[in-house]
Structure formats: structure tokens, C-alpha cells
Amino acid sequence: ISRAEILKIALKSFNLAVAEEVATNPLPDVEADAWYAPFVKAAFDNGIIYGFNSGLEPNSPTSRGMAVTILAKAAGFEDIEQNFADNYSSHPDWTYAHFPDVQMDSYYAPFVAYFYDHGIINGYKDGTFGAGNPITRGEIAKIVVNILDFVSNL
């Protein structure tokens, strides 16, 4: 699934407003008339993505780490950083966040840890998360359903 597609899924799944069109290119590699331009702009406007000054590479595959980060931000969870500080960062001798391939200092670690701690995600059978692996549509669907179930039980 591409980076453009994950943004659309995230924004639509959590009912965030998206303009029908944009007047200017949101990023150097996102033309204003591209189908995904409004989703890229809305993701920036909502703080779901940031940076990417040289471009988003919207047609590139989305990694599992990036997907979890985007979905968590789109869902609007406000206690992710506190969860990470309390349950992970407070252990200076820990080098990874639950999964041996999720380093504590990676940008996606707080989001992976939060989702794991709340039963939204699990890893592979070998105990890894595979943060750099491309995420599949099925994995995204499962995560979105699990987020919606989790939120409905709060």
C-alpha cells in the first residue's frame, strides 16, 4: 500500500476533514491535481505527517512503522508519549520497545509500543514487528478495526 493510500485510509477512517481539491502543490513531489493531494495537505494540516521537505514519495510503499505512526496520529490518541515515558523511557537499560527490531529511539517506537500495550497490534510469529516491512491492506484493515474497537470501549 502506498504512502498516499495510507493517508487516505487514515483520514477517512477517523473522519478528519479533507478538502475536495488544493490550489497549490502540498509538497515538491505532490502535484495539486493528483488524487491524493488533498489527503497529503490534510495530513500536514492535522499534524499527522511533517517534514518530508524533499518530498513524500507518495507512490512508495508504506512501512509498518510509518503506517502505525500515521494511524495513531489520525486516531487522535493523546496519551501515547505519556505511555512511552511511563512504560519504556523510564527504563534506561532498555534498547527496544517490546519488539527486538523496534529501537527505543526510532520515531515509530512510541506508537508501536502504545498499540501493542493496548492490544491493537501484534508482531510476527518470530517475535519481531517488522517496522521496515511494507504494510499490507489486510494488516491496515485489521489495525483500523482494532483501533475503532479500542476507542468504542473507552
Side-chain angles (χ1 to χ4, degrees):
I1 190 157
S2 73
R3 292 174 178 184
E5 290 168 326
I6 187 66
L7 293 177
K8 180 177 181 179
I9 291 167
L11 293 162
K12 292 286 193 179
S13 295
F14 303 110
N15 300 313
L16 296 169
V18 178
E20 289 192 29
E21 58 185 42
V22 295
T24 60
N25 297 355
L27 289 171
D29 61 349
V30 178
E31 298 290 328
D33 62 350
W35 70 264
Y36 47 80
F39 297 99
V40 171
K41 181 167 180 354
F44 268 97
D45 291 349
N46 285 285
I48 296 166
I49 59 173
Y50 54 89
F52 295 103
N53 297 331
S54 62
L56 178 65
E57 299 179 23
N59 296 310
S60 292
T62 306
S63 70
R64 287 170 50 96
M66 180 183 282
V68 165
T69 302
I70 289 169
L71 291 170
K73 288 182 175 187
F77 294 115
E78 297 179 0
D79 57 339
I80 291 173
E81 293 299 329
Q82 189 62 52
N83 178 74
F84 196 69
D86 293 347
N87 299 320
Y88 295 87
S89 299
S90 60
H91 300 279
D93 54 326
W94 288 10
T95 58
Y96 61 87
H98 185 73
F99 300 100
D101 60 336
V102 177
Q103 297 299 308
M104 292 285 282
D105 61 352
S106 61
Y107 75 88
Y108 48 80
F111 306 99
V112 171
Y114 186 87
F115 276 11
Y116 178 81
D117 290 348
H118 292 89
I120 295 169
I121 62 163
N122 50 31
Y124 294 127
K125 289 179 184 176
D126 68 359
T128 64
F129 178 66
N133 296 351
I135 196 158
T136 66
R137 291 183 196 290
E139 291 168 335
I140 290 172
K142 181 179 178 186
I143 293 169
V144 169
V145 167
N146 288 349
I147 291 169
L148 295 171
D149 285 346
F150 174 73
V151 170
S152 71
N153 292 317
L154 288 179

